[in-house]
Amino acid sequence: MNPFAAIPYEVFADRRLTLRQLRVLLVLYKYANRKKGSDGNLVGPSRKVLSGWTGCPTKVISKATSDLQRLGWLRKVGNGGCSRSARYVLGTGIPGSAAAAIVKPMV
């Protein structure tokens, strides 16, 4: 596994993100370069994997991914649960994404 992840700079500029949300998002971006979907970066690490990387309980992972979707940082694809991992589309290209809302031109 590549020890590096390409993280959009907008992630660090978004002051709405809590530390837990930021940790989850960073781990999701770590997995982003593995598989490309038709909608961009498609990732699907399990809540257990995300929990291991972040140190957060799996219930916190579920809440964090829902919050990240609400904030525009990802879009959930398919149905997780029933022993299946949810999959996520990441990126600033999502219509109405968080990046468009927080990046303001410097004057």
Side-chain angles (χ1 to χ4, degrees):
M1 177 185 304
N2 189 341
F4 301 103
I7 310 297
Y9 71 91
E10 295 92 348
V11 170
F12 301 104
D14 191 343
R15 305 248 181 226
R16 302 170 302 165
L17 294 174
T18 66
L19 180 58
R20 286 181 176 168
Q21 293 164 349
L22 182 60
R23 284 180 178 169
V24 171
L25 188 57
L26 294 178
V27 174
L28 288 171
Y29 271 106
K30 179 174 178 51
Y31 283 85
N33 294 329
R34 291 178 153 200
K35 185 186 283 186
K36 299 283 184 183
S38 60
D39 293 324
N41 284 325
L42 181 66
V43 296
S46 68
R47 289 184 309 153
K48 185 176 180 180
V49 167
L50 290 169
S51 178
W53 277 101
T54 63
C56 298
T58 55
K59 285 186 179 185
V60 171
I61 299 299
S62 295
K63 179 165 180 3
T65 56
S66 294
D67 291 344
L68 289 166
Q69 179 169 299
R70 180 181 48 79
L71 292 169
W73 283 108
L74 59 83
R75 182 168 42 91
K76 292 183 179 184
V77 177
N79 296 319
C82 299
S83 299
R84 291 185 315 240
S85 296
R87 294 175 356 151
Y88 312 95
V89 175
L90 302 174
T92 56
I94 298 171
S97 73
I102 60 171
V103 177
K104 297 180 174 61
M106 300 192 75
V107 182

